[in-house]
Amino acid sequence: CTPALAPPTGEGMWYGSSNTSETVVGFVLDTGVFYFLYTLPYSNVIGGVVQGNSTASNGVFTSANSKDFSFAGFGVYPASIAGTYVPRLTLDGVISTTLGTASFALEYQQVYEQPASLATAAGTYAGTASTSVGTQSVVVAIAASGAIAGSGNGCTFSGAAVPHGSGNVFAVTIKFNGGVCIFGPYTLTGGGSFAAATEKVSAVGATARAASD
């Protein structure tokens, strides 16, 4: 079955590119919170994520309190977004940070309207954890119950994923166990998605400390 979506807003999963040749993919939740991952120019390597709270009304999409977590620039930078949208069709705009300004053009992804399924996402995945202070290889196991357990380079972590709202996205919480973990003993909260076609899991978020810096 297809879940009913909220009234016409910028909510949804979006995919496109920037005028600086970066691929952009992300989602806007029913709460207005958004996460946009972007690659390095002319590459499929993730270069960072822009996260914040948005306001969407009458075709105007804005965010004044965003943060750009740059994996290439190794820092967290204030950001703002001004754009326009057509519900469940297009989302275009300009993002401005202390690193510069870029425009983006995104298209709505119908996969957002499929129910989020923990049973489908369950499995063990190997990949890379990227942050504004560095990267490391990780292995993550997701159970059908939503329980998360992972490790990488001596760092261990655990957490949970639960379906969020009406869209094909999960609310994710991960607690790091200190020691050599890049995030120390902090807890990360954010969102995640599972792409059945490629069998890839993506999760993005911020610690309370990073969000308040």
Side-chain angles (χ1 to χ4, degrees):
C1 62
T2 300
L5 293 180
T9 65
E11 179 186 355
M13 186 174 295
W14 304 90
Y15 179 87
S17 60
S18 73
N19 67 320
T20 49
S21 301
E22 299 158 325
T23 298
V24 181
V25 60
F27 41 86
V28 180
L29 302 180
D30 52 359
T31 60
V33 172
F34 66 89
Y35 303 89
F36 290 142
L37 286 162
Y38 59 88
T39 67
L40 298 176
Y42 305 101
S43 170
N44 61 358
V45 176
I46 300 299
V49 58
V50 178
Q51 185 272 333
N53 295 286
S54 66
T55 299
S57 178
N58 298 321
V60 177
F61 183 94
T62 60
S63 176
N65 69 342
S66 310
K67 290 185 181 294
D68 179 9
F69 296 83
S70 174
F71 306 153
F74 298 108
V76 181
Y77 305 94
S80 62
I81 295 177
T84 59
Y85 69 96
V86 178
R88 301 171 67 183
L89 190 60
T90 60
L91 174 59
D92 305 321
V94 174
I95 177 170
S96 301
T97 76
T98 53
L99 296 179
T101 300
S103 61
F104 59 86
L106 310 178
E107 294 184 351
Y108 181 78
Q109 303 300 298
Q110 291 288 339
V111 68
Y112 182 75
E113 298 177 27
Q114 299 176 6
S117 170
L118 285 168
T120 302
T124 300
Y125 304 88
T128 302
S130 299
T131 76
S132 59
V133 295
T135 63
Q136 63 185 59
S137 298
V138 295
V139 176
V140 180
I142 303 174
S145 64
I148 297 173
S151 63
N153 297 341
C155 169
T156 60
F157 53 89
S158 60
V162 296
H164 173 89
S166 60
N168 188 8
V169 65
F170 301 98
V172 177
T173 301
I174 295 177
K175 172 68 169 64
F176 295 90
N177 295 322
V180 298
C181 294
I182 291 176
F183 284 111
Y186 293 101
T187 297
L188 179 151
T189 59
S193 64
F194 173 70
T198 58
E199 296 188 340
K200 289 184 178 181
V201 166
S202 299
V204 294
T207 65
R209 180 184 180 186
S212 62
D213 285 347

